[in-house]
Amino acid sequence: LGRVAAPQKIVTNYHSGGSILSVSTLLKNYMPPSEVLVTINHLKALGIQIAAQLQSAYPGIKEIGLDIAMDQHLDMWLLEVNTLPSIAVFKLFPDKSIYRKIHRYAVAYGRVKARKSPYSTRNKQSTRA
């Protein structure tokens, strides 16, 4: 996801007035479509390289979130690596498939508990005496 600071601010956090957009939506305002695809692929490759490096140093690491800034020349700067990144902001996108995928992964390795469906028969108490 991409974040943009509110006018006259430098902090991009959602709770500080920043906007959250898909990366492609954000980048298309600054570069032609052909460059957007190249940049997204570069970001993916960068994520894989950083994850591999961290995995070698910290074998138990399960997930990471990268905070990458782009300057006025569109050069990328790694600001921070989060080992327990928040996934809640992915709920804000109309397409919930990304959130569901991240959540399933977090459940699979034990970071979060699986949500129980309110329609599950396991959640309903028996009325028998």
Side-chain angles (χ1 to χ4, degrees):
L1 59 89
R3 299 184 307 197
V4 178
Q8 306 302 314
K9 292 191 176 187
I10 60 169
V11 178
T12 62
N13 296 30
Y14 178 71
H15 298 292
S16 298
S19 299
I20 297 173
L21 307 164
S22 70
V23 175
S24 57
T25 300
L26 176 61
L27 293 178
K28 75 179 183 181
N29 294 320
Y30 300 96
M31 59 184 68
S34 59
E35 282 187 46
V36 170
L37 184 58
V38 169
T39 302
I40 289 173
N41 287 334
H42 186 149
L43 286 165
K44 288 177 182 180
L46 184 61
I48 291 168
Q49 290 172 344
I50 291 169
Q53 185 66 36
L54 287 172
Q55 182 67 29
S56 68
Y58 305 99
I61 201 165
K62 302 285 190 233
E63 67 179 290
I64 59 172
L66 304 176
D67 288 355
I68 297 173
M70 294 180 79
D71 63 21
Q72 66 272 20
H73 305 291
L74 303 179
D75 291 327
M76 294 181 202
W77 297 82
L78 177 64
L79 301 178
E80 149 179 72
V81 177
N82 299 295
T83 56
L84 289 174
S86 174
I87 65 173
V89 292
F90 290 96
K91 286 182 181 180
L92 301 174
F93 287 111
D95 177 2
K96 306 294 185 222
S97 65
I98 296 171
Y99 172 79
R100 287 192 300 269
K101 183 177 183 178
I102 295 168
H103 187 268
R104 276 193 311 270
Y105 183 73
V107 168
Y109 82 82
R111 176 180 173 190
V112 297
K113 294 185 187 263
R115 293 175 290 187
K116 293 182 182 177
S117 168
Y119 305 106
S120 171
T121 56
R122 292 181 290 182
N123 293 340
K124 296 182 180 176
Q125 295 180 350
S126 175
T127 55
R128 290 186 238 159

